[in-house]
Amino acid sequence: MRSAILSALTVSATAVSAVTYDYIVVGSGPGGGPLAADLSRAGYSTLLIEAGGDEGLNPTYDDIANFNEAANDEATRWDFWVKHSDDPVRDLKFKHNTWDTGAGTFYVGLDPPPGAKLLGIQYPRAGVLGGCAMHNGAVTTLPQDDDWNVIVNTTGDVSWEAGKMRRYLKEIERNDYLAAGNPAHGYDGWLSITAAPDVSWAKNDNLTGTKILKEVARLTGQDVSKVADLVSKDILEDVPNRDQVTSFYNMAQHSDSKGKRSSPNNYVRATLAEKKYPLTLKLHTLVTKVLFSNSTDGMAKAPPRAIGVEVMEGASLYRADPRSVPGGKGPVSQIFASKEVIVSGGAFNTPQILKLSGIGPRAELEKFGIPVIKDLPGVGERLADNYENSLLALANQTVDLPGLITMQFRTPSAVGKNRNFFTWCGNFIFQGFWPGFPGFAGPTQFTCAMLHIGPKSQSGSVRLRSADPRDVPDINFRFFEHGGAADLHEFVEAANLLRESWLAAGAPAAPFEELHPCPGRLAKGRAECSDAAQAEYFKTQVYSHHASSTAAIGGDNDPLAVLDSKFRVRGVNGLRVVDASAFPVVPGAFPVLPTMMISRKAAEDIIADAKKAAA
């Protein structure tokens, strides 16, 4: 049924007319795509604008196993070249810095050829219907309760309480790995979520992977006799004190039981295919700014109101697109919204669009000659992300592990009681992003990827390079600027714990030859380098791909708050932001599911306001 619906639907980028819609949604990713579908299903005429095309039927994107190929594909890839700090010397130590050789190729590494131009650290995003949910690994997790409750604590809006937010998971979820009727899950939503069905390997004590699994259990205080059950534990479970539990889990993904990606692309296309909802999709259309009307209310001047958007039509106009042509441009026109404009461009593009529209720090806007609609200093600030890195080794023989060892755990020095790391170990390699990633270390490669939950530093920024909407902004994460020593110490603790578990592999897989962070043969459970050396490695080699918080929700007393708790941009009317930039902190380990959850919450808020206004 799914294939029939999608194949019968033809979506094209027709010329934008001057028609007026109830709502305009800018960006079709995890925030904007579901929101546009929900608004139209509620009966409101909605225009969804996407700068990229549609690859929903392309196996590179549709088959979840091809996610690495999808993230490398020029058909959708937007290359953001970012900085990790204000120290260029430190950033040049990053082993996967990318350089333009001038010959149509990239050089990746520490010793570029003469004349090569430094591009920076690649941070690929997806310019395509469905956004980054179309090229990611589809890992599906929930934020910690504290990540929801911080909004309650700063705004007073109790609708964000963690216990209430699960409702939005249940509304969008079509659970495909648990028996129907589990009260923690939904079974009729648009988002398929599945998990590996066969974990029988964990019952075979002769497997090298099972030996490592049991040693990890012992080191983290789990019941070694129950590991075969723990590896299939529901990572989206709803239990008391969930965030304090160190445990193995399943690796849930937003895909179906046939290995097909489930994303906003499917939901938007299905909504269009039913042909009974007032949803219009415009592809290959770059939004250049939001339009405002300075209306008056009696004698007092009312706040500026968003009334539409200006767009430029054409493929590959944005210069993050590797297919972009220098000087390329398309026809410019305007489209209008009678109710609201919702910006859902993601943590990089949303603040850029807001600033180009006159919403942002006054000094920055005036620097580029952009008329100031509203001075909001927080736009583009507080950029945050999880820190990621890995232990990589070559085993003496391929590790016999048919699946993944997935675990969330707490290191001894973590602040508070919550777990602070997500790890997945197996016969793969993942070392961050560069053109052509993930690389290959050999048939015996073995990795424990580590993702740090709840980074203490939120000091990054997204700032304009020019007033040209086709230019890519200047992005600097400023990793470890605040609380860096503590974060690095936690990383070292996590690495030391996971490394020790590898000793249990035994011959013939052992001994392991570690490639990083501590090159050398692993023996006696000790790293071949000091904790200080490991910390320095992590400081220079961490990477990330879960950017958030550049247009964050905050309280009235927060000078850097961009949104109120209903996603409304402060100081103007008719404008909201619904994407990962709205989170005041990084939402847990992987932001894609929480972003789709707040998309449903935003639809509820917007529809409630529309009904109230019409009453």
Side-chain angles (χ1 to χ4, degrees), residues 173-465:
E173 182 185 19
R174 183 182 293 271
N175 187 280
D176 200 23
Y177 63 89
L178 294 170
N182 186 310
H185 289 276
Y187 295 85
D188 301 310
W190 61 267
L191 183 71
S192 292
I193 300 180
T194 192
D198 184 10
V199 293
S200 59
W201 60 268
K203 298 179 181 179
N204 186 346
D205 290 342
N206 294 320
L207 296 181
T208 307
T210 307
K211 295 175 183 178
I212 295 174
L213 174 73
K214 287 194 168 185
E215 182 64 6
V216 173
R218 186 188 70 80
L219 291 169
T220 56
Q222 300 182 67
D223 190 334
V224 175
S225 67
K226 295 182 178 180
V227 294
D229 296 322
L230 291 172
V231 292
S232 60
K233 187 176 181 180
D234 180 16
I235 201 167
L236 303 179
E237 66 180 353
D238 185 15
V239 297
N241 303 314
R242 171 180 61 94
D243 301 330
Q244 289 84 53
V245 176
T246 287
S247 180
F248 300 122
Y249 291 96
N250 63 23
M251 179 68 91
Q253 294 178 293
H254 54 88
S255 60
D256 66 21
S257 59
K258 297 180 180 179
K260 299 296 184 180
R261 182 181 294 274
S262 180
S263 80
N265 180 288
N266 306 120
Y267 191 33
V268 169
R269 290 178 65 91
T271 303
L272 290 166
E274 292 187 45
K275 297 182 179 179
K276 61 181 180 180
Y277 303 115
L279 176 63
T280 302
L281 171 65
K282 297 296 182 185
L283 300 174
H284 299 302
T285 304
L286 180 68
V287 171
T288 61
K289 64 180 177 181
V290 178
L291 304 172
F292 289 91
S293 171
N294 286 313
S295 60
T296 58
D297 181 13
M299 297 297 294
K301 190 173 183 180
R305 181 172 189 84
I307 58 171
V309 294
E310 180 183 271
V311 301
M312 184 182 296
E313 299 170 63
S316 302
L317 293 173
Y318 194 58
R319 290 172 182 144
D321 189 324
R323 302 167 299 171
S324 178
V325 177
K329 61 187 303 184
V332 176
S333 59
Q334 297 179 339
I335 320 171
F336 297 96
S338 62
K339 296 186 184 297
E340 294 187 17
V341 174
I342 300 105
V343 180
S344 301
F348 297 159
N349 291 106
T350 284
Q352 181 181 19
I353 292 170
L354 291 177
K355 289 179 180 183
L356 293 171
S357 308
I359 307 291
R362 177 179 294 277
E364 184 179 353
L365 303 185
E366 291 178 343
K367 174 183 176 181
F368 296 108
I370 300 172
V372 178
I373 300 297
K374 177 61 180 178
D375 179 14
L376 277 183
V379 175
E381 300 302 306
R382 287 179 173 168
L383 172 64
D385 211 332
N386 295 312
Y387 299 127
E388 296 183 61
N389 212 280
S390 64
L391 276 78
L392 172 63
L394 298 179
N396 193 53
Q397 177 178 302
T398 300
V399 174
D400 203 355
L401 176 59
L404 291 174
I405 298 172
T406 303
M407 181 175 68
Q408 295 188 79
F409 65 106
R410 181 187 181 277
T411 61
S413 68
V415 176
K417 297 180 180 180
N418 287 353
R419 54 203 180 191
N420 58 328
F421 272 89
F422 184 109
T423 188
W424 59 108
C425 303
N427 299 306
F428 65 92
I429 188 171
F430 183 53
Q431 303 175 93
F433 299 91
W434 65 90
F437 86 96
F440 183 63
T444 65
Q445 63 189 16
F446 191 80
T447 292
C448 280
M450 299 180 293
L451 184 151
H452 185 253
I453 302 170
K456 297 171 186 63
S457 183
Q458 232 172 308
S459 306
S461 62
V462 177
R463 294 172 183 164
L464 297 177
R465 296 183 192 271

Side-chain angles (χ1 to χ4, degrees), residues 69-241:
E69 290 84 353
N72 276 290
D73 189 3
E74 286 194 0
T76 66
R77 196 183 78 221
W78 278 9
D79 291 331
F80 291 89
W81 305 105
V82 308
K83 292 175 281 191
H84 282 173
S85 74
D86 287 319
D87 181 356
V89 175
R90 171 179 144 188
D91 276 8
L92 282 173
K93 295 178 182 178
F94 186 71
K95 294 180 179 180
H96 295 120
N97 260 309
T98 303
W99 309 71
D100 182 354
T101 65
T105 59
F106 296 114
Y107 169 82
V108 178
L110 301 176
D111 188 22
K117 176 186 176 184
L118 177 64
L119 295 172
I121 300 164
Q122 190 193 39
Y123 201 116
R125 303 281 83 187
V128 67
L129 180 63
C132 292
M134 290 295 286
H135 78 177
N136 64 0
V139 181
T140 308
T141 65
L142 289 166
Q144 300 190 95
D145 286 351
D146 289 349
D147 299 339
W148 296 127
N149 291 334
V150 69
I151 300 177
V152 181
N153 296 335
T154 56
T155 69
D157 187 343
V158 296
S159 71
W160 284 92
E161 288 177 352
K164 297 176 181 177
M165 290 301 296
R166 179 168 285 268
R167 171 167 67 88
Y168 300 107
L169 166 65
K170 295 170 67 173
E171 288 180 5
I172 67 175
E173 182 185 19
R174 183 182 293 271
N175 187 280
D176 200 23
Y177 63 89
L178 294 170
N182 186 310
H185 289 276
Y187 295 85
D188 301 310
W190 61 267
L191 183 71
S192 292
I193 300 180
T194 192
D198 184 10
V199 293
S200 59
W201 60 268
K203 298 179 181 179
N204 186 346
D205 290 342
N206 294 320
L207 296 181
T208 307
T210 307
K211 295 175 183 178
I212 295 174
L213 174 73
K214 287 194 168 185
E215 182 64 6
V216 173
R218 186 188 70 80
L219 291 169
T220 56
Q222 300 182 67
D223 190 334
V224 175
S225 67
K226 295 182 178 180
V227 294
D229 296 322
L230 291 172
V231 292
S232 60
K233 187 176 181 180
D234 180 16
I235 201 167
L236 303 179
E237 66 180 353
D238 185 15
V239 297
N241 303 314

